[in-house]
Amino acid sequence: MTKTGERAAQVREVRRRLVEDGPPRTRDPEADFETVTVPERHCDQLRDLLIAEKAATVVEVGLAYASSALAIGEALVTIDRPDPRHIIIDPFQEREFSNVGWDLLCSAGLETIATLVAAPSSLVLPQLLIGGFVADAAFVDGSHRFHEVFVDLYFLRKIVRPGGLIVIDDDWWPSVHTAVQYYEKNLGWAVIPDAFPGDAVGVGPQGKNGARCKAYRLPDAPFEPSFEEFRAF
């Protein structure tokens, strides 16, 4: 097995143990892991989407138990492009999750490509932008408050390269879905319809039945719309 294959196999093994055994520790609420974590199937689809994209640099908002972060890491080591980078933003990883997600990433050998920033995304993302950081893709699973999701997406559209990907978790939450709709209707974000195929994973908030993740491709040529052409969302 090649070195690349060995690294990917190490990540897959940590992912397998997380799915079968759960994390080594959780927050107090019962079934918190099952409630918070991105389902394995969606993680596999996220991995495959990034591999097809040949992504080398990914920004992730929210870490928690690292299910999605491990899938992103598996994609990056499988693609094996020079100097892959995975920037993870989560101000609650130590305080709320006792660093369980980061420890899982380290056990998978991903600390060599991943960086955890323990600060609010509303502060970190503008600093990345000022620093000239450019990503191929982003995965957004942080705050679900409308205004905070909206701000995350505002900066990510400037950080992710033209034609790149932004993947949203929990699109079935009205607050998340409404924030994303502005960018779809006014800024040319195009839904990738086959990114997360298959039946719904369950019934979401307010009885809405549907897949929780949604992927968008940004326009090849970024633009700023006229305020006169605003489309209500």
Side-chain angles (χ1 to χ4, degrees), residues 5 11 33 50 63 74 76 91 106 127 161 164 171 197 200 205 227:
V11 179
F33 171 66
L50 294 175
L63 177 56
E74 183 183 346
L76 291 174
C106 292
Q127 290 301 313
R161 62 170 173 79
D171 180 71
F227 71 89

Side-chain angles (χ1 to χ4, degrees), residues 8-9 11-13 15-16 38-55 58 67-79 137 139 165 167 195-196 213:
V11 179
R12 285 194 296 270
E13 175 58 19
R15 289 189 62 203
R16 183 193 66 79
V38 179
E40 180 188 17
R41 189 188 73 193
H42 279 20
C43 287
D44 287 345
Q45 292 165 338
L46 173 62
R47 174 202 61 201
D48 294 345
L49 182 64
L50 294 175
I51 290 174
E53 192 71 10
K54 296 182 171 59
V58 179
S67 293
S68 57
L70 286 164
I72 292 169
E74 183 183 346
L76 291 174
V77 298
T78 300
I79 296 165
F139 182 71
L165 300 178
V167 181
F196 293 93
C213 291

Side-chain angles (χ1 to χ4, degrees), residues 5-21:
E6 290 175 355
R7 294 184 71 191
Q10 181 180 357
V11 179
R12 285 194 296 270
E13 175 58 19
V14 174
R15 289 189 62 203
R16 183 193 66 79
R17 293 201 307 267
L18 181 59
V19 170
E20 294 181 0
D21 303 332

Side-chain angles (χ1 to χ4, degrees), residues 12-223:
R12 285 194 296 270
E13 175 58 19
V14 174
R15 289 189 62 203
R16 183 193 66 79
R17 293 201 307 267
L18 181 59
V19 170
E20 294 181 0
D21 303 332
R25 53 193 179 277
T26 65
R27 297 186 297 183
D28 289 339
E30 185 177 355
D32 185 64
F33 171 66
E34 292 80 1
T35 301
V36 170
T37 198
V38 179
E40 180 188 17
R41 189 188 73 193
H42 279 20
C43 287
D44 287 345
Q45 292 165 338
L46 173 62
R47 174 202 61 201
D48 294 345
L49 182 64
L50 294 175
I51 290 174
E53 192 71 10
K54 296 182 171 59
T57 306
V58 179
V59 177
E60 182 172 14
V61 180
L63 177 56
Y65 297 107
S67 293
S68 57
L70 286 164
I72 292 169
E74 183 183 346
L76 291 174
V77 298
T78 300
I79 296 165
D80 196 28
R81 289 180 59 184
D83 302 318
R85 294 191 67 187
H86 182 189
I87 306 296
I88 306 167
I89 304 168
D90 191 336
F92 306 110
Q93 176 59 198
E94 181 177 5
R95 187 176 73 197
E96 297 287 336
F97 294 94
S98 302
N99 282 325
V100 63
W102 180 249
D103 289 347
L104 285 165
L105 283 176
C106 292
S107 71
L110 293 172
E111 75 278 7
T112 59
I113 65 174
T115 301
L116 174 61
V117 185
S121 55
S122 58
L123 301 179
V124 177
L125 291 173
Q127 290 301 313
L128 290 176
L129 179 62
I130 291 170
F133 184 80
V134 178
D136 295 310
F139 182 71
V140 184
D141 188 19
S143 169
H144 287 22
R145 298 184 184 95
F146 166 82
H147 56 283
E148 291 176 323
V149 178
F150 192 92
V151 170
D152 285 347
L153 299 180
Y154 173 83
F155 285 108
L156 285 170
R157 69 178 282 260
K158 297 173 180 289
I159 291 170
V160 175
R161 62 170 173 79
L165 300 178
I166 294 183
V167 181
I168 312 294
D169 185 38
D170 286 329
D171 180 71
W172 55 14
W173 277 99
S175 54
V176 176
H177 180 78
T178 303
V180 181
Q181 282 297 289
Y182 169 77
Y183 295 90
E184 181 178 341
K185 292 182 178 297
N186 290 275
L187 287 166
W189 291 21
V191 176
I192 303 175
D194 57 348
F196 293 93
D199 296 333
V201 297
V203 178
Q206 300 180 356
K208 182 179 179 182
N209 193 326
R212 60 187 280 168
C213 291
K214 199 168 187 179
Y216 288 89
R217 186 169 299 282
L218 302 191
D220 290 330
F223 65 93

